[in-house]
Amino acid sequence: MSWSKFRVTKIRRRPDLARRASAMCAGLGWVERASWVSPAPSRSSRSPMPPAGQETAIRDAVAWLDCWRVDDHGWPDHATGRELADGATPTRHGRRTAWCYGAPGIARSLLHAARALDDNALAEAARADLVELVELDAQQAAWDTEGPTLCHGYAGVLRCATGVDHDMAEHAAAQLTQSLDCERPFLVTHVEHGNSHDNPGFLTGAAGVALTLSELAELPARSATTPWDAMLLIA
């Protein structure tokens, strides 16, 4: 059994950790992804009459993201007003392995766009962005993920990779479960620029980690029309 599988199994067999994870759910938050493409079912299961202009808007968003690539599998962390006005693509990289402003979050948004457009080529390109990060890990190149939380931590990477890339999800799950500390008031801490904080919140705190761990541990939950990570636009 791999180390990551051992850690995941250990969580599933620890009802005390599962209960602690459930108790951590203390807040919710909202954030917009760069592509702003909302989750959509496949064309075959959608209404035959989508909103006017929806497909054009999605394609425009995909094209905009593609124009801002720094290289084959990366984007800048932000675009300044001057860069937007000039149309100049920055050469800097943002954080590569994070949901908030890295390849995992953008790739997951592109996968949703591909599903809405029935665009297999776009889906393959988005998956390639995630595979590139797995290869960086295999080459022992450091991931720049920081801490366990959703925003720029391993919980966010795990949610982006789940159901898309097994190896990436396994690595993120192993790192996430290793961060659990029963001595902390919320079991985990949020890490920002090397500093740790006890935070019960959703995006940069224990609530988001708890929701991620709840799915990891396959805890029973009430059925919901919209999954909780739809707020991250990755569901």
Short mmCIF file of all heavy atoms in Angstrom, two decimals, residues 91-129:
data_model
loop_
_atom_site.label_atom_id
_atom_site.label_comp_id
_atom_site.label_asym_id
_atom_site.label_seq_id
_atom_site.Cartn_x
_atom_site.Cartn_y
_atom_site.Cartn_z
N THR A 91 5.65 37.77 -18.39
CA THR A 91 6.53 36.60 -18.44
C THR A 91 6.66 35.95 -17.07
O THR A 91 7.28 34.90 -16.96
CB THR A 91 7.94 37.01 -18.93
OG1 THR A 91 8.46 38.02 -18.06
CG2 THR A 91 7.88 37.53 -20.35
N ARG A 92 6.11 36.57 -16.03
CA ARG A 92 6.22 35.99 -14.69
C ARG A 92 5.23 34.85 -14.51
O ARG A 92 4.19 34.78 -15.16
CB ARG A 92 5.95 37.06 -13.64
CG ARG A 92 4.53 37.60 -13.69
CD ARG A 92 4.26 38.69 -12.67
NE ARG A 92 2.89 39.19 -12.79
CZ ARG A 92 2.51 40.08 -13.67
NH1 ARG A 92 3.39 40.59 -14.53
NH2 ARG A 92 1.24 40.48 -13.74
N HIS A 93 5.56 33.97 -13.59
CA HIS A 93 4.66 32.90 -13.20
C HIS A 93 3.99 33.24 -11.89
O HIS A 93 4.60 33.86 -11.01
CB HIS A 93 5.44 31.58 -13.01
CG HIS A 93 5.43 30.71 -14.22
ND1 HIS A 93 4.28 30.15 -14.73
CD2 HIS A 93 6.44 30.29 -15.02
CE1 HIS A 93 4.59 29.43 -15.79
NE2 HIS A 93 5.89 29.49 -15.99
N GLY A 94 2.76 32.82 -11.74
CA GLY A 94 2.12 32.87 -10.44
C GLY A 94 2.43 31.58 -9.71
O GLY A 94 3.29 30.80 -10.12
N ARG A 95 1.74 31.33 -8.62
CA ARG A 95 1.87 30.07 -7.92
C ARG A 95 1.35 28.97 -8.85
O ARG A 95 0.22 29.03 -9.32
CB ARG A 95 1.08 30.11 -6.62
CG ARG A 95 1.37 28.94 -5.69
CD ARG A 95 0.41 28.96 -4.51
NE ARG A 95 0.57 30.15 -3.69
CZ ARG A 95 1.40 30.26 -2.67
NH1 ARG A 95 2.17 29.23 -2.35
NH2 ARG A 95 1.48 31.38 -1.96
N ARG A 96 2.13 27.97 -9.12
CA ARG A 96 1.75 26.96 -10.11
C ARG A 96 0.76 25.94 -9.56
O ARG A 96 -0.18 25.56 -10.23
CB ARG A 96 2.99 26.23 -10.63
CG ARG A 96 3.89 27.09 -11.49
CD ARG A 96 5.06 26.28 -12.03
NE ARG A 96 4.61 25.32 -13.03
CZ ARG A 96 4.67 25.54 -14.34
NH1 ARG A 96 5.13 26.69 -14.79
NH2 ARG A 96 4.26 24.63 -15.19
N THR A 97 1.00 25.47 -8.33
CA THR A 97 0.21 24.36 -7.82
C THR A 97 -0.76 24.84 -6.74
O THR A 97 -0.60 24.57 -5.56
CB THR A 97 1.13 23.25 -7.26
OG1 THR A 97 2.11 23.85 -6.40
CG2 THR A 97 1.83 22.53 -8.38
N ALA A 98 -1.78 25.58 -7.16
CA ALA A 98 -2.78 26.07 -6.23
C ALA A 98 -4.10 26.27 -6.97
O ALA A 98 -4.11 26.52 -8.17
CB ALA A 98 -2.33 27.38 -5.58
N TRP A 99 -5.19 26.18 -6.23
CA TRP A 99 -6.50 26.45 -6.83
C TRP A 99 -6.65 27.94 -7.13
O TRP A 99 -7.15 28.33 -8.18
CB TRP A 99 -7.62 26.02 -5.87
CG TRP A 99 -8.93 26.65 -6.21
CD1 TRP A 99 -9.81 26.24 -7.16
CD2 TRP A 99 -9.47 27.86 -5.65
NE1 TRP A 99 -10.87 27.11 -7.23
CE2 TRP A 99 -10.69 28.11 -6.30
CE3 TRP A 99 -9.05 28.73 -4.64
CZ2 TRP A 99 -11.50 29.20 -6.00
CZ3 TRP A 99 -9.84 29.82 -4.33
CH2 TRP A 99 -11.06 30.04 -5.00
N CYS A 100 -6.20 28.81 -6.22
CA CYS A 100 -6.57 30.23 -6.27
C CYS A 100 -6.02 30.93 -7.50
O CYS A 100 -6.75 31.63 -8.19
CB CYS A 100 -6.13 30.93 -4.99
SG CYS A 100 -4.37 30.76 -4.61
N TYR A 101 -4.72 30.81 -7.76
CA TYR A 101 -4.16 31.46 -8.95
C TYR A 101 -3.08 30.59 -9.55
O TYR A 101 -1.99 31.05 -9.87
CB TYR A 101 -3.61 32.85 -8.63
CG TYR A 101 -2.94 33.02 -7.28
CD1 TYR A 101 -1.74 32.38 -7.00
CD2 TYR A 101 -3.52 33.82 -6.31
CE1 TYR A 101 -1.13 32.54 -5.76
CE2 TYR A 101 -2.92 33.98 -5.08
CZ TYR A 101 -1.73 33.35 -4.81
OH TYR A 101 -1.13 33.51 -3.58
N GLY A 102 -3.40 29.32 -9.69
CA GLY A 102 -2.47 28.37 -10.29
C GLY A 102 -3.13 27.51 -11.34
O GLY A 102 -4.34 27.62 -11.60
N ALA A 103 -2.35 26.63 -11.93
CA ALA A 103 -2.85 25.77 -13.00
C ALA A 103 -3.99 24.86 -12.59
O ALA A 103 -4.91 24.62 -13.39
CB ALA A 103 -1.69 24.95 -13.57
N PRO A 104 -4.02 24.29 -11.36
CA PRO A 104 -5.13 23.39 -11.03
C PRO A 104 -6.51 24.05 -11.14
O PRO A 104 -7.44 23.48 -11.72
CB PRO A 104 -4.82 22.97 -9.59
CG PRO A 104 -3.34 23.07 -9.48
CD PRO A 104 -2.99 24.28 -10.31
N GLY A 105 -6.66 25.25 -10.58
CA GLY A 105 -7.95 25.92 -10.63
C GLY A 105 -8.35 26.32 -12.04
O GLY A 105 -9.51 26.16 -12.45
N ILE A 106 -7.39 26.84 -12.80
CA ILE A 106 -7.69 27.25 -14.17
C ILE A 106 -7.99 26.03 -15.03
O ILE A 106 -8.93 26.03 -15.84
CB ILE A 106 -6.53 28.07 -14.76
CG1 ILE A 106 -6.39 29.39 -14.00
CG2 ILE A 106 -6.76 28.34 -16.24
CD1 ILE A 106 -5.21 30.24 -14.44
N ALA A 107 -7.20 24.95 -14.87
CA ALA A 107 -7.43 23.74 -15.66
C ALA A 107 -8.80 23.15 -15.38
O ALA A 107 -9.50 22.69 -16.29
CB ALA A 107 -6.33 22.72 -15.38
N ARG A 108 -9.21 23.18 -14.11
CA ARG A 108 -10.52 22.64 -13.77
C ARG A 108 -11.62 23.49 -14.40
O ARG A 108 -12.64 22.96 -14.89
CB ARG A 108 -10.69 22.59 -12.25
CG ARG A 108 -11.92 21.83 -11.78
CD ARG A 108 -11.86 20.34 -12.12
NE ARG A 108 -13.07 19.66 -11.72
CZ ARG A 108 -13.12 18.68 -10.82
NH1 ARG A 108 -12.00 18.25 -10.25
NH2 ARG A 108 -14.25 18.10 -10.52
N SER A 109 -11.45 24.80 -14.42
CA SER A 109 -12.42 25.68 -15.08
C SER A 109 -12.48 25.39 -16.59
O SER A 109 -13.56 25.38 -17.19
CB SER A 109 -12.04 27.14 -14.86
OG SER A 109 -12.17 27.50 -13.50
N LEU A 110 -11.33 25.15 -17.19
CA LEU A 110 -11.29 24.83 -18.62
C LEU A 110 -11.98 23.49 -18.91
O LEU A 110 -12.59 23.32 -19.97
CB LEU A 110 -9.85 24.81 -19.11
CG LEU A 110 -9.14 26.17 -19.16
CD1 LEU A 110 -7.68 26.00 -19.54
CD2 LEU A 110 -9.83 27.11 -20.15
N LEU A 111 -11.86 22.54 -17.97
CA LEU A 111 -12.56 21.27 -18.15
C LEU A 111 -14.07 21.46 -18.16
O LEU A 111 -14.79 20.83 -18.94
CB LEU A 111 -12.16 20.30 -17.05
CG LEU A 111 -10.82 19.59 -17.23
CD1 LEU A 111 -10.43 18.83 -15.96
CD2 LEU A 111 -10.86 18.63 -18.42
N HIS A 112 -14.56 22.35 -17.30
CA HIS A 112 -15.99 22.64 -17.31
C HIS A 112 -16.41 23.33 -18.61
O HIS A 112 -17.47 23.05 -19.16
CB HIS A 112 -16.36 23.52 -16.12
CG HIS A 112 -16.44 22.77 -14.83
ND1 HIS A 112 -17.28 21.69 -14.65
CD2 HIS A 112 -15.78 22.93 -13.66
CE1 HIS A 112 -17.14 21.23 -13.43
NE2 HIS A 112 -16.23 21.95 -12.81
N ALA A 113 -15.55 24.21 -19.11
CA ALA A 113 -15.85 24.85 -20.39
C ALA A 113 -15.88 23.81 -21.50
O ALA A 113 -16.76 23.83 -22.37
CB ALA A 113 -14.80 25.91 -20.68
N ALA A 114 -14.94 22.87 -21.46
CA ALA A 114 -14.89 21.82 -22.48
C ALA A 114 -16.14 20.95 -22.44
O ALA A 114 -16.69 20.56 -23.48
CB ALA A 114 -13.64 20.96 -22.28
N ARG A 115 -16.61 20.67 -21.23
CA ARG A 115 -17.82 19.86 -21.09
C ARG A 115 -19.03 20.61 -21.66
O ARG A 115 -19.87 20.03 -22.36
CB ARG A 115 -18.05 19.52 -19.62
CG ARG A 115 -19.24 18.61 -19.39
CD ARG A 115 -19.37 18.24 -17.93
NE ARG A 115 -19.63 19.38 -17.09
CZ ARG A 115 -19.83 19.29 -15.77
NH1 ARG A 115 -19.75 18.13 -15.17
NH2 ARG A 115 -20.07 20.38 -15.06
N ALA A 116 -19.12 21.89 -21.36
CA ALA A 116 -20.26 22.67 -21.85
C ALA A 116 -20.24 22.79 -23.37
O ALA A 116 -21.29 22.88 -24.01
CB ALA A 116 -20.25 24.06 -21.21
N LEU A 117 -19.02 22.81 -23.94
CA LEU A 117 -18.88 23.01 -25.39
C LEU A 117 -18.75 21.70 -26.15
O LEU A 117 -18.67 21.71 -27.39
CB LEU A 117 -17.64 23.87 -25.67
CG LEU A 117 -17.64 25.29 -25.09
CD1 LEU A 117 -16.26 25.93 -25.27
CD2 LEU A 117 -18.72 26.14 -25.75
N ASP A 118 -18.70 20.57 -25.43
CA ASP A 118 -18.42 19.28 -26.07
C ASP A 118 -17.12 19.35 -26.88
O ASP A 118 -17.05 18.88 -28.02
CB ASP A 118 -19.57 18.85 -26.98
CG ASP A 118 -20.77 18.35 -26.19
OD1 ASP A 118 -20.60 17.97 -25.02
OD2 ASP A 118 -21.89 18.34 -26.75
N ASP A 119 -16.10 19.93 -26.28
CA ASP A 119 -14.83 20.17 -26.96
C ASP A 119 -13.77 19.23 -26.38
O ASP A 119 -13.17 19.51 -25.35
CB ASP A 119 -14.41 21.63 -26.76
CG ASP A 119 -13.22 22.03 -27.62
OD1 ASP A 119 -12.38 21.16 -27.92
OD2 ASP A 119 -13.14 23.23 -27.98
N ASN A 120 -13.53 18.09 -27.04
CA ASN A 120 -12.59 17.11 -26.54
C ASN A 120 -11.15 17.62 -26.55
O ASN A 120 -10.36 17.29 -25.66
CB ASN A 120 -12.68 15.82 -27.36
CG ASN A 120 -14.00 15.10 -27.17
OD1 ASN A 120 -14.61 15.18 -26.10
ND2 ASN A 120 -14.45 14.39 -28.19
N ALA A 121 -10.80 18.41 -27.55
CA ALA A 121 -9.44 18.94 -27.63
C ALA A 121 -9.15 19.86 -26.45
O ALA A 121 -8.05 19.81 -25.86
CB ALA A 121 -9.24 19.68 -28.94
N LEU A 122 -10.11 20.68 -26.09
CA LEU A 122 -9.94 21.57 -24.94
C LEU A 122 -9.81 20.76 -23.65
O LEU A 122 -9.00 21.07 -22.79
CB LEU A 122 -11.12 22.54 -24.85
CG LEU A 122 -11.12 23.49 -23.64
CD1 LEU A 122 -9.87 24.35 -23.62
CD2 LEU A 122 -12.38 24.36 -23.67
N ALA A 123 -10.61 19.70 -23.52
CA ALA A 123 -10.54 18.85 -22.33
C ALA A 123 -9.17 18.19 -22.21
O ALA A 123 -8.58 18.14 -21.12
CB ALA A 123 -11.63 17.79 -22.37
N GLU A 124 -8.64 17.71 -23.31
CA GLU A 124 -7.32 17.08 -23.29
C GLU A 124 -6.23 18.08 -22.92
O GLU A 124 -5.30 17.76 -22.18
CB GLU A 124 -7.02 16.45 -24.65
CG GLU A 124 -7.89 15.24 -24.97
CD GLU A 124 -7.64 14.69 -26.36
OE1 GLU A 124 -6.72 15.22 -27.04
OE2 GLU A 124 -8.34 13.76 -26.78
N ALA A 125 -6.34 19.29 -23.42
CA ALA A 125 -5.36 20.33 -23.10
C ALA A 125 -5.41 20.68 -21.62
O ALA A 125 -4.36 20.87 -20.98
CB ALA A 125 -5.61 21.57 -23.95
N ALA A 126 -6.62 20.75 -21.05
CA ALA A 126 -6.75 21.07 -19.63
C ALA A 126 -6.17 19.95 -18.77
O ALA A 126 -5.48 20.22 -17.76
CB ALA A 126 -8.22 21.29 -19.29
N ARG A 127 -6.41 18.71 -19.14
CA ARG A 127 -5.84 17.59 -18.39
C ARG A 127 -4.32 17.60 -18.48
O ARG A 127 -3.62 17.26 -17.53
CB ARG A 127 -6.40 16.26 -18.90
CG ARG A 127 -7.87 16.05 -18.57
CD ARG A 127 -8.30 14.62 -18.86
NE ARG A 127 -9.73 14.45 -18.59
CZ ARG A 127 -10.67 14.56 -19.51
NH1 ARG A 127 -10.35 14.85 -20.78
NH2 ARG A 127 -11.94 14.41 -19.19
N ALA A 128 -3.80 18.01 -19.63
CA ALA A 128 -2.35 18.08 -19.80
C ALA A 128 -1.72 19.08 -18.84
O ALA A 128 -0.59 18.90 -18.38
CB ALA A 128 -2.00 18.43 -21.24
N ASP A 129 -2.44 20.15 -18.52
CA ASP A 129 -1.94 21.13 -17.57
C ASP A 129 -1.74 20.49 -16.19
O ASP A 129 -0.78 20.80 -15.49
CB ASP A 129 -2.91 22.31 -17.45
CG ASP A 129 -2.93 23.17 -18.70
OD1 ASP A 129 -1.85 23.37 -19.29
OD2 ASP A 129 -4.01 23.64 -19.08
#
